[in-house]
Each structure stands twice: as structure tokens, then as C-alpha cells.
Amino acid sequence: MRATVVLFLAGAALVAADCQDDGCGANGVCCLCSCNAGDYAAGSFSCNCDSTSKHKPLPNADQPACCGGSFGFDAWCVRQNSSSVKNLECTNQTTAGIPSPPENFYQFGTKHRCVYPPHTCNSGFCDNAAVPDLADKICHKPYVPSPAPSAPASKPAPSKSPSPAGCDADSNARSGASAITLFNAGQIGALALVKNNL
């Protein structure tokens, strides 16, 4: 019985007190955070994505542990000051792929710790910054759309053959107007002649 009590007390001593027990002091908030203070949140990265223009990740069954694993539950924190902050790598793109080097990563957890303004609990991301350019690292090979085909060169408009002298549109219009004028003048003269003969 005594040995059991000693073991229990020794185990209890290994459990570090957190902000739920000690509080956070002025302006601090006790949050349940995924990563340790100062580390970076990577979540999922190096996913196998489709080749469409939307470039969406494939189903979980086709993903390495770097991208959630076969059940989609694996998400990763990156240790501050490690080379992986700027260079996320996965050992391979099969379902056996894991973050590399492993000592630079650890899985999202649930640790209570104090967070101070201007930060909040932020749905578990707390004050942890995202890995720089994370959006470009979600897919293993970022999709690069094919360049749009260039439009065919437009053909120059066919040049109009010069009209023979006196046959251009303006000349024809003037000629038509003159003909109408002469025709009207002839009608008036003919009417005058008929009237005089009556």
C-alpha cells in the first residue's frame, strides 16, 4: 500500500502545473494551445494534390502523415529556430511519409498555457505564427497552370482597290444628285410647256 502511494505521488510530481492552476496574471488568458510558445504552426503540408486548376489535396487515404495521414488527424508544430521553419520537408509522398528531420517537429497537442494581448486563444492557434509562405507549401508540388495559348495573329484587312476616276462613292453621290436635279428641272419645264399650250 505504501509503495502504491509513493508511486502515485511521484507520478503527480511529473505533471507540471499549468495556467488552470496558477492563473496568468494581469491581462493573460489561459488557453488550450496546439503548439508551445514561440513555435510555429504548420498544420498539414506536402500534400498530394490533384492536377486541376483548383489543385485540391487528394483523399486522406492517399496522404503522407505530413498532410494529416490516412485519417486526416495529424497536424504539426515546427520548433522555433529550426531549419524547418523555412524549409518544410516530408520523407516521401507515400502514406509512410513523415516530417523531416523529425526532431524539428511535433504533433499538435492540447496544452494549457498563458497567452497575452494582442493575442487570443485563436481556436487553439494562440500566439503561434504560421510557417512563412505556408499556402505555397500545402501541396507537394504547387500547381503551375499552363500558359494560355496565344491568340493567332490577326490578318490585316484587305486593302480596297482604288476606284477609277469619277467612280468613287462621293463622285457617284454627286452624279446622282445632279441627275435628279436635271430630271426635276425637265419635269418643271415640261409642265410649263403644257400649261402654255392650254
Side-chain angles (χ1 to χ4, degrees):
M1 177 69 178
R2 184 172 176 229
T4 303
V5 172
V6 170
L7 286 174
F8 175 78
L9 292 175
L14 295 176
V15 178
D18 60 30
C19 55
Q20 293 184 105
D21 303 308
D22 299 339
C24 292
N27 300 324
V29 179
C30 184
C31 296
L32 188 61
C33 302
S34 299
C35 299
N36 296 330
D39 290 343
Y40 288 80
S44 297
F45 64 95
S46 197
C47 300
N48 292 318
C49 298
D50 64 29
S51 58
T52 66
S53 58
K54 293 183 179 179
H55 211 42
K56 292 183 177 179
L58 298 177
N60 292 331
D62 301 318
Q63 299 295 353
C66 303
C67 183
S70 56
F71 296 103
F73 295 138
D74 296 331
W76 302 93
C77 302
V78 183
R79 299 188 192 282
Q80 60 181 315
N81 302 321
S82 71
S83 59
S84 297
V85 172
K86 295 184 178 179
N87 187 28
L88 296 177
E89 291 187 357
C90 197
T91 53
N92 60 67
Q93 292 307 116
T94 70
T95 54
I98 60 172
S100 177
E103 61 269 19
N104 290 355
F105 299 84
Y106 58 94
Q107 287 189 319
F108 272 23
T110 51
K111 178 180 180 180
H112 283 95
R113 61 181 179 82
C114 296
V115 176
Y116 297 92
H119 303 288
T120 63
C121 296
N122 194 22
S123 301
F125 287 97
C126 301
D127 50 7
N128 299 105
V131 170
D133 302 318
L134 180 59
D136 297 331
K137 299 170 183 176
I138 292 177
C139 290
H140 176 57
K141 292 182 178 179
Y143 176 72
V144 178
S146 302
S150 57
S154 58
K155 296 180 180 179
S159 59
K160 294 182 179 180
S161 302
S163 302
C167 291
D168 61 303
D170 291 338
S171 298
N172 290 339
R174 287 195 297 271
S175 298
S178 300
I180 292 171
T181 302
L182 291 173
F183 176 76
N184 289 340
Q187 280 186 325
I188 293 170
L191 287 174
L193 181 60
V194 171
K195 185 177 181 181
N196 290 334
N197 289 334
L198 291 176

